[in-house]
Amino acid sequence: QVQLVESGGGLVQAGGSLRLSCAASGRTFSRYAMGWFRQAPGKEREFVAAVSGSDGSTYYADSVKGRFTVSRDNAKNSVYQQMNSLKPEDTAVYYCAADNTGWVRPNYWGQGTQVTVSS
């Protein structure tokens, strides 16, 4: 069992930055790929970024490439997402997820943290 708790969301002006954190419980954290998803009002949840558990490879949605950076610290059972040059369209609830299914169906989800970008 893995429990995920996100933090770091908030209100920021367009062009600003935020850093999201996700703290995971459990001893098997390094075995999971970790990812960030987001869901805006009236829209489906979408993939944002992920980092593998094996070699730290990172993956990004085209919409955030070059602006967001995902990283993990296995010693701290944590994953992070640095978000720069934020845009109003980045406004959403951001969820942390842990996965060992090839992202077919992530095993665990956090409760989400709100990010609001004002224009």
Side-chain angles (χ1 to χ4, degrees), residues 15-28:
S17 298
L18 282 174
R19 187 184 190 227
L20 303 183
S21 298
C22 174
S25 65
R27 301 180 182 178
T28 59

Side-chain angles (χ1 to χ4, degrees), residues 81-93:
Q81 180 164 272
Q82 177 67 40
M83 306 185 296
N84 298 329
S85 302
L86 283 162
K87 305 175 181 180
E89 51 264 43
D90 294 318
T91 295
V93 177

Side-chain angles (χ1 to χ4, degrees), residues 40-112:
K43 295 187 177 181
E44 293 189 353
R45 190 174 297 189
E46 65 175 2
F47 168 78
V48 177
V51 53
S52 72
S54 55
D55 61 4
S57 297
T58 56
Y59 309 88
Y60 298 93
D62 288 343
S63 59
V64 306
K65 219 171 270 186
R67 300 188 298 121
F68 290 12
T69 302
V70 62
S71 61
R72 67 188 295 159
D73 184 338
N74 289 340
K76 295 183 178 180
N77 276 16
S78 293
V79 62
Y80 310 98
Q81 180 164 272
Q82 177 67 40
M83 306 185 296
N84 298 329
S85 302
L86 283 162
K87 305 175 181 180
E89 51 264 43
D90 294 318
T91 295
V93 177
Y94 283 72
Y95 298 90
C96 175
D99 177 76
N100 65 5
T101 71
W103 296 109
V104 173
R105 181 175 288 188
N107 305 73
Y108 304 102
W109 292 92
Q111 83 289 350

